[in-house]
Structure formats: C-alpha cells, structure tokens
Amino acid sequence: MLHRRAFLTTTSLAAASLAAPGLLRGARAAETALVVGVPLPISGAFAANGKFAAMGAALAAEEAGAALGRKVVTRDIDTEGKPAPAARKVQEAMGEGTRLFAGGILSSEALVMGKEVAKGGGVFFTTAGADEITGQECNRGTFRWSVPTYGAIAQTVRPLIEQMPQAKRWYTITPQYVFGEGLLTAAKAVFQEKGIEHVGNSYHSLAEKEFSGYLTNAIAAKPDVLLILNFGSQSSDTLRQAVSFGLKKRMTIVLAWASGLEQFEALGPDLCEGVYFGAQYWHGVDAPLNKALVAKLRETRKMSPNYSFAASYLLTKLLIDAATKAGTTEGPAMIKALEGLTYAGLTGEEEIRAADHQVIKNYYLLKGKAKSAMADKDDFVDIVGSGKSFLTPEAAGCKMT
Amino acid sequence: MTYLFQILNGVGLGMLYFLLAVGLSIIFGLLQFVNFAHGAFYLLGAYLAYEMVERGASFWAALPLAALAVGLLAGLTEAVLLRRIYKQPHTFHILVTVGLALVVQEFVIIVWGPIGGNLPAPEALSGVVILGDFVYPEYRLFVIVFTAALAAALWWLLESTRLGAIVRAGSESPENMALLGYDTLRINTAVFALGAGLAGLAGALAAPIRGVEPFMGVEALSIAFVVVVIGGMGSYAGALAAGLVVGIAQSLMATLWPEGARLVIYLGMAGIIVAMPRGLFGRA
C-alpha cells in the first residue's frame, strides 16, 4: 500500500519535473564564433513564445553570418520562465564566454538576468514589459525593445476612451505580479485623468487558468468595457471564457497586451472579431525592414512573423550589428555602440534612448476583423492606431548605474 | 446574488474537476498505481477532439470518439509497458509515467505545433442563459448535466454490476481472483483504459471552455491530484465531493479574495491532510 506521505513526496517531485523538464537545445558555439545567448522559456507555460523567439534569433544570426563571412551562432538557454534557473543558466553561459544576450519574455526573469549580465560585463536586450526594466531597476548592461506598460496603456486605453465617449465604466482583470501592476497603475492614471469610473478589478495569480469566477465579478459590476491586463495564454483563456459568457455582446473587450499573430492563430477569427488588442508588433506594419522580413519568411518558411519571432530577430540583429561595429562583445564598447542608436526597425524608425536604454518605438492598437473580411489566413486584424508614448527617464525613475 | 452565481459556476468547474480526477482515482484505487500520464491522456483527448472538429466532424461525434481512442491507446500502453512495472516501487511508476507524459506532450507539439487552438462549443450550445443581470454559458450548463449523468452511470457500473464487482474484487485480492479463474491482467488493462478514457473525455469536454494547448495536461494533472488527495485516494464519492468543493471554493474566492482563488485549492489540500489524513472519503 502506498502511504500518503510517500505519495505526496514522490508526486510533488514528479510534478516539478513534468512542469519544468529543462530542455536545453540549440547550438554550442565554437570558440571563434560570435555567440548570442538567447535565454527564453523553451519549456513551461510560455514555451510557445520561447520557441518562436529562438527561431527569430537563429534567423538573424544566419543572415549576419552570411553577410559578415564569419560564424555567428545563437545559444538557446531554457529559462523555464522562472527567475532562478534563468539567472543560473545565464551565469553559466557567461562563465563560458558568452557576453551578448537577447531574450527574457517574462519580466521577473528579465529583471534578474539583466542584473546578472550587467554585473558580468555583458549586454542583455529584452522584450519584457515591466516598467522597472528601464525604470527604477535600469542598469547599463540592460536594453529593452518593447514599449513598457505606460505606453501600452497610453496607446490602447487613451484612444479608445476618445473613440467611445459614452463608455464610462471600465472593469479590469489583472495578474498579480510586477507586469500586471504596471499596466493597472497606468490604466488607473488614465481613468482618473479622463473621468472614467473604474468599477472594479479582479487580481489573479500567474498560474490561473480558470477565469469564469472573475468574469462573474465583472458581469456584476456592469461595465461598458472589460480591460484584460494579463498576457500570453492567460489572456487567451480570459478572452475565450469572456466570449463564452456572452460578454462581447454586452461590452467592449480590450486586451491591452496581446502577443499578436501567435495569439490570434490560437484564438481563431471568431473569438478575435470586434475585440481590441494592444500589440508591440504586427506583420502588416508598413516599414522597410518589416516588409523584407515578412517577404523572406513567407517565401522560405510559408509563415508570417509573429511578435516573438520578429522581436527576437531584431534584438539579435541589433546585438550582432553593434558587436560588429564595436569590434568586440565586451560590455563597455557594446553599450557605447548601442546608446543613442537610431535605426530603421520593424516598426519604422526606432531609437535606443541613451539615458535609460529604452527603445523608442510604436505601439499598435488593433481590432479583430470578421473571418469573411480576412485577405489571407494571417490577416486577423486592422491597425486602428499607433504611436510612441514613453515616460521620461526621470519620470520612469531610471538612475543609470 | 453574485455569490449564488459563483456557486453555480463553481459547480460547473467542480464537475469538470471530478471528471478529471475520477479516472486517476479509479486507476489508483484498483491498481495502486500512480499515473502521472493522466494529464497527458487529458491532453490527447482534447487534441483529438480538436483535430476531428477541424476536419469537419461534429463535436458530438468527436466527444465519444476522442475518449474511446484515448482509452484504446491507454489500454495498449498498459498492456505493452505499464503492467511490467506494477510490482516495482512507486518511484518506477512515476519515472515511467512522467516520461510517457513528456513523450505525449512533445508528440502534440510536433504534430500540432507549440501554439494552441480554439475548439468552438457546438452551435446548439454556443449561447448563454440569461438570469437577471447574470449570464451563464449554455455549454457549461451542458457540462454540469452531462457529467452528473456520467457520474451516476459510473457509480452504477462500479457498484451494481457484475463487472464492477469483478473489478473491485480484483483490486482487493488479485491472487484470489486469479485462483477463481479470472484474468486479472485483462481486468487491469480494462480499468486503466477506462480511467484514461475518462481523462480523454474530460479533455474533449474542457476544450471548448479552455481551448487546446500543449501544456494543458500539466495543469489538469495538478488539479486531479489535489482532488484525489482531498477526496481520499481511490474513493469515487471522494472525487465527486472534492471536485465540487474545490470548484465552488475556487469560484467563491474569485469574489471574496480573488488573489487567493488558486491558493485556496492548495491550502484546502494541506488542511485536509492535517485534519483528515485519509481525505474526505479515504479508506483505512
């Protein structure tokens, strides 16, 4: 007979190994190659994002290798989406000589990796969203491409309030960790400024999969707008369940931080139709570098780039270009090459702000279109707005160290 | 009024949790076998139903077919692989079934990709029931009714039929059953297939609510274990009661203390372990 204590001990051990198999894939670089470490959640709940991001980084390395005539490789590092393994594995990679890192999808893992890389004299370029990354926790070795929470709210909530002056009651659903708090704080500030009644908020944990309870709360508050502030599969689950509760017919649904194409593919056009999405990137953006990437990917891989792929591609490309310009991968020279750089990016002209290492780029407001209106299988949304909204480095609280 | 709806919502959740856990409980109760591949069978059930509907099949056909396919596959796995390790220590059971779960998970990623998909609720149940200011999806109501009917049928099968008696006797004393001329190996295979088939059914039923994605099995497994531990390992009534308790508690907490809605599941499990070490309905 299996005893309860033995059952619990062994099952918890096994559960841990199931949830985090720690798959480590990717190239082990030769000594002479230019190596870009790509620390991403390749296993766990955010693995889908990690796998596309790894592909994007690999493409950038492949292109650079061909252009430069030298070996350029990426080294995939599975962060498991958790700060502790992320920090440990990045330390290991630095111990083996890697100085350049492009990755970090979750804010919690990105914050610790940025610190580790900066401490070790390297450069870390990330897409994670928490304000602190280029705010209070900024450091000389960390750069961030994606628009932080302030800009995401400014480019989604603000224009929608102007478009829908009659929608005065907003309800929010928020994951309780740094990223969610950042979005919620920014949203509350806009609500207050615009005279919007914030009729309620439901916090939930980062592991939550079931949102019906929170949606019941939202229904009870009778909002005009449901603002979903979580990310990845959680935001897909929230939206799917909100639609099943008939909320699309009762209120406007806004998902402030969508992952773009990969998320729309998982949801399908019926769920996306009429829903507003905030996004860092969309393959339909009219920018030369983006058009070239889209054309190449459609020709070679029969796919359109999604956010994870495109962002990782760009980060890796920026690091390789800077290393080539600097003639080294060591931190000080790399930082000098990147600070203040203006370049033709995936969202048009982009600039790496020297004071806080935040890339100044567009954020997009998208609206899901009907299946019948889609021009091709990836044409899920229309771009209904875009713009650049950023706190000043001082207001963001960045004191560069 | 909000609380009333949270309870209704909790019942819906609880029935789904019951269906998830009951297969695990049956397998544990009758085979004394800790099956960490249970979540993988749930995952497969969801994806098979999704694939069939994507290829044009009706959801009503996909639901039983997915469960049946998972049951058959599980039966085959039991006959070829798992029965060889029954007599080994439980760590072997865990090692092999965790490995099996990872193989299934990677298989799903290879075949269907890392991005999930959406399986819409059948047209006839895609609406909502409106009750005053509140709404409840018709499909979730169907899940409650369907699972309740299934629970009754399973109860009858295990408690009131000759087959059920053979299965229960097989779990109590396989040697005596073998002496009486029963093929206990076949009974074990059938029980394992039934338990896994129920997980597959739960996956197919949950897919219109949760969508499908390659890591859904891990979450399902953790909920199933919590329900089995609270209800009492191997107890059918315990799985039902614990499923409902967990579902209602989780849903009510979404109003009372939203941040703790998920935490309460695990706190509840810890509390039960301290207060009632064998679970609500566990056998001595």
Side-chain angles (χ1 to χ4, degrees), chain A residues 1-2 4 10-11 14 25 52 176 203 208-210 212-213 217 219 222 237 240 244-245 250 266-267, chain B residues 6 9 13 32 36 90 94 106 117-118 128 133 135 137 140 210 213 219 229 250 254-255 258-259 277:
Chain A
M1 172 66 79
L2 179 61
R4 186 179 200 88
T10 47
T11 52
R25 295 184 183 137
F52 279 108
Q176 200 165 34
Y203 278 119
E208 190 61 273
K209 299 289 280 180
E210 178 56 50
S212 53
N217 288 342
I219 293 165
K222 296 182 187 168
D237 285 337
R240 179 182 293 109
S244 80
F245 271 75
R250 297 185 150 220
L267 288 167
Chain B
Q6 293 291 20
N9 186 47
L13 267 182
Q32 296 291 305
F36 266 87
H90 284 293
I94 292 167
E106 289 300 309
N118 188 52
V128 292
D133 285 338
V135 288
R140 286 192 186 235
R210 296 283 180 86
E213 49 100 9
E219 195 243 350
V229 168
Q250 191 184 4
T255 295
E259 303 89 307

Side-chain angles (χ1 to χ4, degrees), chain A residues 10-12 14-15 18, chain B residues 34-40 93-94 97-98 101 221 225:
Chain A
T10 47
T11 52
S12 56
L18 243 189
Chain B
V34 184
N35 177 25
F36 266 87
H38 197 70
H93 301 175
I94 292 167
T97 54
V98 166
L221 183 70
F225 270 114

Side-chain angles (χ1 to χ4, degrees), chain B residues 63-157:
Chain B
L63 188 65
L65 283 176
L68 195 66
V70 171
L72 286 173
L73 187 72
L76 190 68
T77 310
E78 195 276 345
V80 172
L81 177 68
L82 301 179
R83 71 168 51 160
R84 296 171 198 276
I85 58 165
Y86 284 153
K87 290 198 167 67
Q88 304 293 333
H90 284 293
T91 41
F92 274 78
H93 301 175
I94 292 167
L95 192 67
V96 171
T97 54
V98 166
L100 188 61
L102 288 174
V103 168
V104 170
Q105 188 172 290
E106 289 300 309
F107 170 78
V108 165
I109 291 172
I110 290 166
V111 175
W112 286 282
I115 292 179
N118 188 52
L119 198 169
E123 194 64 33
L125 297 173
S126 61
V128 292
V129 177
I130 297 172
L131 297 156
D133 285 338
F134 287 89
V135 288
Y136 200 69
E138 287 171 356
Y139 182 76
R140 286 192 186 235
L141 277 180
F142 158 75
V143 170
I144 296 176
V145 174
F146 178 84
T147 315
L150 191 76
L154 268 177
W155 181 277
W156 175 79
L157 179 76

Side-chain angles (χ1 to χ4, degrees), chain A residues 20-375:
Chain A
L23 304 170
L24 180 64
R25 295 184 183 137
R28 290 274 173 185
E31 287 291 319
T32 54
L34 174 59
V35 183
V36 181
V38 186
L40 298 159
I42 298 169
S43 60
F46 295 90
N49 306 83
K51 287 180 181 179
F52 279 108
M55 285 163 62
L59 177 66
E62 184 190 310
E63 283 183 358
L68 298 170
R70 68 178 287 196
K71 196 171 180 187
V72 183
V73 294
T74 56
R75 171 185 175 152
D76 294 355
I77 299 165
D78 184 8
T79 63
E80 303 164 32
K82 298 171 192 164
R88 179 172 47 78
K89 290 179 186 178
V90 159
Q91 278 173 354
E92 283 169 13
M94 294 197 82
E96 291 168 21
T98 306
R99 288 290 174 273
L100 310 181
F101 295 88
I105 286 178
L106 294 172
S107 298
S108 50
E109 60 175 13
L111 278 163
V112 295
M113 287 194 287
K115 282 179 190 165
E116 287 301 326
V117 174
K119 205 162 65 184
V123 171
F124 176 66
F125 220 137
T126 186
T127 58
D131 295 338
E132 287 84 346
I133 293 169
T134 51
Q136 287 175 352
E137 305 280 330
C138 72
N139 63 57
R140 291 194 63 78
T142 300
F143 293 77
R144 186 241 298 274
W145 182 69
S146 53
V147 176
T149 57
Y150 170 84
I153 292 298
Q155 291 299 327
T156 52
V157 172
R158 203 177 277 277
L160 285 172
I161 289 172
E162 281 158 20
Q163 270 182 40
M164 305 184 294
Q166 75 290 355
K168 290 284 183 199
R169 296 167 62 83
W170 288 55
Y171 191 94
T172 49
I173 293 180
T174 312
Q176 200 165 34
Y177 71 116
V178 282
F179 165 75
E181 292 289 358
L183 283 176
L184 183 62
T185 305
K188 280 181 175 173
V190 176
F191 293 157
Q192 196 173 14
E193 180 196 322
K194 295 283 184 183
I196 294 296
E197 190 183 350
H198 186 207
V199 293
N201 173 59
S202 287
Y203 278 119
H204 63 77
S205 79
L206 194 54
E208 190 61 273
K209 299 289 280 180
E210 178 56 50
F211 295 92
S212 53
Y214 312 117
L215 294 168
T216 304
N217 288 342
I219 293 165
K222 296 182 187 168
D224 300 314
V225 182
L226 175 67
L227 178 61
I228 299 170
L229 298 176
N230 49 24
F231 164 74
S233 61
Q234 285 196 317
S235 63
S236 294
D237 285 337
T238 314
L239 178 59
R240 179 182 293 109
Q241 291 171 32
V243 172
S244 80
F245 271 75
L247 265 53
K248 211 151 77 166
K249 291 180 188 136
R250 297 185 150 220
M251 59 194 77
T252 301
I253 301 178
V254 184
L255 217 150
W257 191 284
S259 348
L261 182 59
E262 58 225 81
Q263 187 164 26
F264 304 151
E265 283 175 336
L267 288 167
D270 292 339
L271 287 181
C272 293
E273 185 185 351
V275 175
Y276 288 94
F277 300 93
Q280 299 283 353
Y281 169 79
W282 181 243
H283 64 270
V285 168
D286 187 13
L289 182 67
N290 183 47
K291 285 184 163 177
L293 177 66
V294 172
K296 179 166 190 174
L297 234 60
R298 284 189 171 170
E299 191 192 327
T300 56
R301 304 189 193 187
K302 310 286 177 232
M303 66 178 269
S304 302
N306 56 34
Y307 165 58
S308 301
F309 187 106
S312 185
Y313 167 82
L314 185 65
L315 302 192
T316 309
K317 178 176 160 48
L318 286 170
L319 287 177
I320 296 168
D321 289 351
T324 308
K325 188 174 148 193
T328 174
T329 58
E330 291 304 319
M334 282 293 298
I335 293 165
K336 199 174 160 198
L338 287 168
E339 280 183 344
L341 180 71
T342 301
Y343 59 93
L346 291 172
T347 66
E349 188 178 276
E350 300 176 1
E351 181 198 350
I352 303 175
R353 192 160 63 180
D356 60 354
H357 295 182
Q358 171 64 51
V359 172
I360 307 300
K361 64 175 275 292
N362 279 325
Y363 195 78
Y364 298 91
L365 178 61
L366 313 172
K367 188 177 184 187
K369 53 167 80 171
K371 195 174 182 178
S372 57
M374 288 168 64

